[in-house]
Amino acid sequence: MEYQSGFHSSMKYDFGAQISPGVWKIVLKHDRTEFLAHDITETMVGKSPIPGDEAPADPALLLNAGGNSVLNPLLNILNHENLVGLVEIISTQASSAGGSPKTKHYAVWDYCDAGVLGNWFQPEPYQNKRTKEFDDKEWDPVPETETLDEHMDDQARKDRLENIMESIRDLEDRGGNPQKLEELYSLFQQEQEEEFTNVKKGDRYLPESFCWHVLISVLKALSWLHDGSKNMREDEDGVITIAHDRDWEPILHRNITPSNIFFAHPKRDEWYGRCKLGNYSRLVISNNHPGNFDEDENIGEGKKLVRNHSKALAPPRGTKFQPLKELIGLDADYGHSYPQKVKQPYTILSEWRAFGEIMQAMMMTPSSDNHLNTVRHDTVERNLGGLDYSSLLKNIVLYLMTFNPDEKDQEGKFAFSAEEREAVTTDLLAKAINDFLAWRKSDHPEAKKWIIVEQEYQRENQEDEEVNVAESYAQNQVQDVLNKQDKLFEEVEEPPAKRVK
């Protein structure tokens, strides 16, 4: 038995170059749009007890289960402008010289031809351009009024901060002397203050417009995965709101890294092409549902619709499966700890923190081969405090790194209402878009000149509509001429009427 997919649909593509083992560039014949075809034959075809015969593997059975096939729901889930989309699955016949033809199965994906964000996180290569010898006059002695610590380089200071933090964690774990802990905290704060004075006002890395582009794009992808949110609307005051699907089961990506944020080249006059989140090898559908409304619970004035306090949980990134009961117990122990611990369950806020680190890395000049690790060495306040980016952008990143929907006040009550905890990623996206629109109205030179991809798509759609109207008008004109010609021919061919005597 063979896996039956869209064999006929493969005829609409031309196969091009193989860009990596098992991955081919293909193009649509009618408009030359490029895609990637990933050979999934080994995944789809299992071993058969009959030699030389093919049997469908489990994924093939799932994707070819007639009315219960998961292919269409899968295509719908990945059909988002900011996700690397799965277009379809096709089959072709291929044969080597002298061999019999064999069926090959391919997953067709969006082609992001401009690389990944991780390419930007490499430090500048060191180039020694010195052409003369050293001499002692070039080295200034350390003044007697200054200490050696004041001449430590940035990396040594970061190492010192890390060592202090390790001592603090170790002392806390052992329940050590409170006075010693206080001394370590004081020393850590002092070191941070000294390091902060070394940050030059005006320092920045990637352009702010590019940071906004990635921020909005990835948050759109995450709000769709987490909350099923797609539709945006603008109220009469110009404020953007976004509706989410109340019956959506949150999907956790679990692999938000710079190498999984892809870009396409600009197609028209926009500064940056589409930004898409990809690589779904660790994706988990949580099966979590926030619960039904409770119309009997009273909060403040009158009755309000309230949901329960459950949340989406998934195994840590390195674990494929873990019983829900274990995850609930571990989540009670770890909560929303940061940085993410090895055994800590993965949650929506884990996605936020991972993306927040990436946003910080985009704003800080790389100083080591592991740029994200450098980001984790310090707080978001200290990483971004002295950098030359708008407070609107920095505050969104701060929110990504510090928001806790389960935060409670001193009386043990939730600081945020049930509605505020229901679709937190969608709410953050709406806030980010509104802050972005406010930034666009500012005097920032990039804000005024930046041509965004949505503008160009709108222009393209408008131009296509104008072309369609013009073509329709031309066709109507031609049809009118043909109708007039037909009428003339009918009059010529019609015999004269007989006279009545």
Side-chain angles (χ1 to χ4, degrees):
M1 176 182 175
E2 287 189 358
Y3 166 69
Q4 301 295 326
S5 70
F7 178 79
H8 63 282
S9 65
S10 66
M11 302 302 294
K12 63 187 178 185
Y13 296 103
D14 283 331
F15 274 68
Q18 185 177 20
I19 60 177
S20 64
V23 179
W24 300 75
K25 184 190 293 186
I26 62 176
V27 293
L28 271 175
K29 292 178 180 179
H30 78 277
D31 65 2
R32 311 311 293 173
T33 302
E34 295 181 328
F35 297 95
L36 290 182
H38 178 210
D39 189 344
I40 57 172
T41 305
E42 292 185 3
T43 303
M44 292 297 173
V45 180
K47 294 181 179 180
S48 172
I50 303 174
D53 192 13
E54 291 182 343
D58 290 343
L61 293 174
L62 286 172
L63 296 174
N64 196 41
N68 296 319
S69 171
V70 301
L71 180 57
N72 287 334
L74 182 60
L75 294 174
N76 290 334
I77 289 173
L78 299 182
N79 179 24
H80 188 280
E81 62 184 9
N82 297 114
L83 290 175
V84 177
L86 175 61
V87 180
E88 60 182 332
I89 295 178
I90 62 174
S91 298
T92 64
Q93 292 284 334
S95 62
S96 56
S100 59
K102 293 184 178 180
T103 302
K104 289 281 189 179
H105 307 294
Y106 296 90
V108 179
W109 296 90
D110 287 339
Y111 180 36
C112 298
D113 54 359
V116 297
L117 182 61
N119 294 337
W120 291 95
F121 290 171
Q122 300 301 318
E124 287 283 339
Y126 174 73
Q127 297 180 356
N128 190 353
K129 298 181 179 180
R130 189 177 185 84
T131 58
K132 64 178 182 178
E133 295 182 355
F134 292 98
D135 85 43
D136 290 340
K137 293 180 181 179
E138 297 184 28
W139 306 102
D140 295 328
V142 178
E144 295 181 0
T145 57
E146 296 180 10
T147 66
L148 186 59
D149 279 348
E150 291 172 326
H151 286 268
M152 293 174 63
D153 61 20
D154 290 341
Q155 189 57 49
R157 188 177 297 278
K158 287 184 181 297
D159 291 341
R160 182 177 175 83
L161 282 167
E162 182 64 25
N163 291 335
I164 296 173
M165 278 305 301
E166 287 293 335
S167 299
I168 291 174
R169 295 190 193 104
D170 181 61
L171 201 59
E172 286 178 336
D173 291 342
R174 293 187 288 105
N177 188 334
Q179 184 176 354
K180 179 64 175 177
L181 265 176
E182 187 65 31
E183 292 175 359
L184 287 172
Y185 279 126
S186 177
L187 180 61
F188 183 77
Q189 183 177 2
Q190 180 181 351
E191 288 286 342
Q192 280 193 320
E193 290 172 354
E194 290 178 3
E195 186 180 9
F196 185 73
T197 60
N198 293 329
V199 177
K200 296 179 181 178
K201 183 66 177 176
D203 282 356
R204 59 186 302 179
Y205 183 41
L206 297 177
E208 177 152 354
S209 57
F210 185 62
C211 294
W212 278 112
H213 176 59
V214 174
L215 176 71
I216 300 296
S217 298
V218 176
L219 283 181
K220 282 182 177 179
L222 291 180
S223 69
W224 168 246
L225 292 176
H226 295 170
D227 307 318
S229 303
K230 253 188 176 181
N231 299 322
M232 293 187 292
R233 69 178 185 87
E234 183 177 350
D235 64 18
E236 57 185 13
D237 297 323
V239 178
I240 298 296
T241 58
I242 307 172
H244 66 280
D245 186 344
R246 293 185 180 275
D247 293 320
W248 187 266
E249 294 182 358
I251 300 172
L252 301 178
H253 186 275
R254 295 204 312 158
N255 205 5
I256 301 176
T257 65
S259 60
N260 290 332
I261 297 176
F262 297 82
F263 297 95
H265 282 298
K267 306 300 181 186
R268 292 166 60 94
D269 295 332
E270 66 268 26
W271 287 16
Y272 315 115
R274 286 284 187 197
C275 171
K276 295 173 179 273
L277 181 63
N279 190 344
Y280 312 117
S281 58
R282 293 177 175 172
L283 185 143
V284 168
I285 300 177
S286 68
N287 290 326
N288 171 261
H289 190 278
N292 296 317
F293 284 115
D294 181 1
E295 300 183 0
D296 297 326
E297 183 170 343
N298 289 289
I299 300 179
E301 297 180 0
K303 295 181 179 180
K304 291 188 177 181
L305 302 180
V306 180
R307 293 208 169 208
N308 64 37
H309 309 312
S310 68
K311 58 184 174 182
L313 294 176
R317 289 182 56 189
T319 305
K320 291 185 177 180
F321 172 78
Q322 200 166 5
L324 181 58
K325 186 176 181 180
E326 288 185 16
L327 292 175
I328 293 173
L330 289 170
D331 181 66
D333 294 336
Y334 289 105
H336 297 298
S337 300
Y338 177 80
Q340 187 91 6
K341 305 299 186 293
V342 175
K343 295 183 179 181
Q344 183 178 344
Y346 206 83
T347 67
I348 284 175
L349 284 202
S350 302
E351 311 258 66
W352 282 34
R353 305 299 189 244
F355 182 45
E357 291 176 353
I358 293 172
M359 288 302 305
Q360 293 176 74
M362 293 178 65
M363 301 159 77
M364 301 167 59
T365 302
S367 59
S368 69
D369 291 333
N370 193 338
H371 189 34
L372 282 182
N373 196 44
T374 303
V375 169
R376 296 186 190 107
H377 277 178
D378 224 329
T379 64
V380 59
E381 294 92 341
R382 293 208 28 84
N383 282 337
L384 304 184
L387 299 185
D388 188 19
Y389 293 94
S390 68
S391 60
L392 290 168
L393 177 62
K394 290 194 286 189
N395 284 335
I396 292 291
V397 180
L398 177 67
Y399 199 76
L400 274 169
M401 297 301 298
T402 58
F403 175 71
N404 178 5
D406 299 328
E407 180 182 345
K408 295 183 178 180
D409 58 24
Q410 294 180 349
E411 298 179 358
K413 296 181 179 179
F414 282 105
F416 301 97
S417 69
E419 287 82 0
E420 291 172 320
R421 296 193 305 276
E422 186 178 354
V424 290
T425 306
T426 299
D427 293 340
L428 177 60
L429 172 61
K431 174 177 171 55
I433 291 176
N434 286 309
D435 287 353
F436 164 70
L437 294 175
W439 176 77
R440 289 275 282 174
K441 296 177 183 176
S442 71
D443 293 330
H444 194 289
E446 290 179 53
K448 291 185 174 299
K449 297 179 180 179
W450 179 17
I451 301 174
I452 62 176
V453 66
E454 286 79 9
Q455 286 176 296
E456 289 304 294
Y457 271 85
Q458 186 175 2
R459 271 184 56 197
E460 183 178 26
N461 291 335
Q462 184 177 353
E463 291 169 3
D464 290 344
E465 181 64 26
E466 291 173 355
V467 169
N468 291 336
V469 170
E471 289 179 348
S472 178
Y473 177 77
Q475 289 174 358
N476 290 336
Q477 292 291 96
V478 170
Q479 191 61 47
D480 287 344
V481 171
L482 293 175
N483 291 339
K484 289 178 181 179
Q485 288 179 341
D486 291 342
K487 188 173 183 180
L488 288 173
F489 282 124
E490 289 174 0
E491 293 176 354
V492 170
E493 294 174 358
E494 185 178 352
K498 294 181 178 180
R499 294 181 180 180
V500 179
K501 293 183 178 180

